[in-house]
Amino acid sequence: MNQGLIPSRYAKALFEFASEKGADTRIYELMHTLESSFASETSMQQVVANPFIPAADKEKLLASAAGADKKDEVFERFMRLLADNNRLDAARDIALAYMKLYRSEHRIYLVTVTSAAPMGAAEEDRLKSLIERHLGGATMEYHHRVDPDLIGGFTVTINNEKLDASVADELKQLRLKLLSN
């Protein structure tokens, strides 16, 4: 089977089950925290994939990394399902697939603004309102990053679409134009 297919099937099953139980938003929060834990602690994937570590310990690690507590029965049952099917090593990919599915179902756009320098509050608020208008009232998860390599200007990424209004891109376009002549 395709590695991308397995996580998306598990994520879809989890989403449907969590929606039935009214826990889809809570599971989204847990999956978001779990993915952040994987991103910040690079050795976590190696631990979860290690066949010599008992599944029960891996379940505890994943629950702790997600910030789950005793009330999160849907999450606990899902981790048990993954353990029973020897799929705990796919937890990060499943978390990513779940978040993507949840965002799609709830019309939530992932928006990242990258600027060459920190933006002032007024500029950032103006840019956010422009993006919200462009999205037609849909919800967005907004993130701002600073990348001095842009030299000036900014980029806006909405899901997989990118608007590049940076000086670095302008210079790149100019260089390509000069090379083609």
Side-chain angles (χ1 to χ4, degrees):
M1 262 193 192
N2 182 348
Q3 273 301 92
L5 189 58
I6 291 170
S8 63
R9 284 185 177 172
Y10 275 95
K12 185 176 180 184
L14 175 59
F15 182 77
E16 289 172 4
F17 182 67
S19 295
E20 286 174 16
K21 298 290 185 182
D24 58 327
T25 301
R26 176 62 179 155
I27 295 297
Y28 176 75
E29 293 166 0
L30 293 172
M31 292 299 184
H32 198 280
T33 305
L34 181 63
E35 160 49 26
S36 297
S37 295
F38 271 108
S40 65
E41 191 58 53
T42 55
S43 62
M44 201 163 120
Q45 184 63 43
Q46 294 170 338
V47 171
V48 175
N50 188 330
F52 298 108
I53 297 175
D57 291 344
K58 293 177 187 180
E59 286 180 65
K60 287 178 189 172
L61 171 68
L62 292 171
S64 175
D69 56 33
K70 298 286 184 203
K71 296 179 293 184
D72 296 314
E73 184 184 330
V74 172
F75 184 82
E76 183 181 323
R77 288 179 65 183
F78 185 70
M79 287 298 123
R80 200 170 311 121
L81 173 74
L82 291 181
D84 291 346
N85 293 321
N86 290 327
R87 296 285 186 202
L88 286 170
D89 60 333
R92 182 179 193 179
D93 293 332
I94 293 168
L96 289 168
Y98 183 90
M99 291 188 309
K100 183 177 180 181
L101 180 61
Y102 181 90
R103 286 184 191 121
S104 173
E105 290 291 322
H106 292 278
R107 289 191 62 222
I108 299 172
Y109 291 87
L110 193 55
V111 176
T112 304
V113 173
T114 306
S115 60
M119 298 174 85
E123 290 175 304
E124 195 162 5
D125 289 342
R126 184 168 177 257
L127 188 56
K128 277 184 190 178
S129 81
L130 284 170
I131 295 169
E132 285 173 346
R133 243 182 293 141
H134 174 73
L135 296 176
T139 308
M140 70 173 168
E141 275 187 29
Y142 180 86
H143 304 281
H144 181 252
R145 294 181 333 116
V146 175
D147 181 4
D149 291 341
L150 293 180
I151 303 171
F154 61 90
T155 64
V156 177
T157 306
I158 301 174
N159 290 344
N160 292 329
E161 294 180 38
K162 185 174 184 178
L163 166 72
D164 196 335
S166 67
V167 173
D169 185 60
E170 292 293 323
L171 291 172
K172 178 181 160 189
Q173 296 301 325
L174 181 62
R175 189 175 128 251
L176 291 173
K177 194 180 270 186
L178 289 172
L179 290 174
S180 67
N181 290 334

